[in-house]
Amino acid sequence: DLDPLVARYRAQGASYALTVRETTGEPVHRVVFAFLTPAGAVELDLEDIDAAVSEVKALVAAGAEQVTA
């Protein structure tokens, strides 16, 4: 079951999506994680990219508040 790995890398994938959006101004429609398994490569999408990006933004804002406090 690879779902726990997708959850583990959710913030990382969202960070990449946010970076692409902010640098290029282009929307990100899909983030795909590729896992190598004994049965071969498996691709799984990051669900709800917008929600994941919002979570990353909130984490960054919270970290910035701690630095400036």
Side-chain angles (χ1 to χ4, degrees):
D1 182 30
L2 296 173
D3 289 336
L5 286 176
V6 172
R8 180 175 166 187
Y9 294 119
R10 178 180 172 86
Q12 183 177 357
S15 296
Y16 294 152
L18 176 60
T19 300
V20 169
R21 285 181 184 178
E22 295 292 319
T23 2
T24 67
E26 295 293 325
V28 175
H29 299 288
R30 188 174 182 213
V31 173
V32 179
F33 296 107
F35 298 98
L36 297 179
T37 71
V42 176
E43 293 183 354
L44 296 173
D45 287 351
L46 174 63
E47 299 295 326
D48 201 353
I49 296 170
D50 292 332
V53 167
S54 293
E55 292 166 15
V56 167
K57 285 182 176 181
L59 288 169
V60 170
E65 288 176 10
Q66 289 182 357
V67 170
T68 59

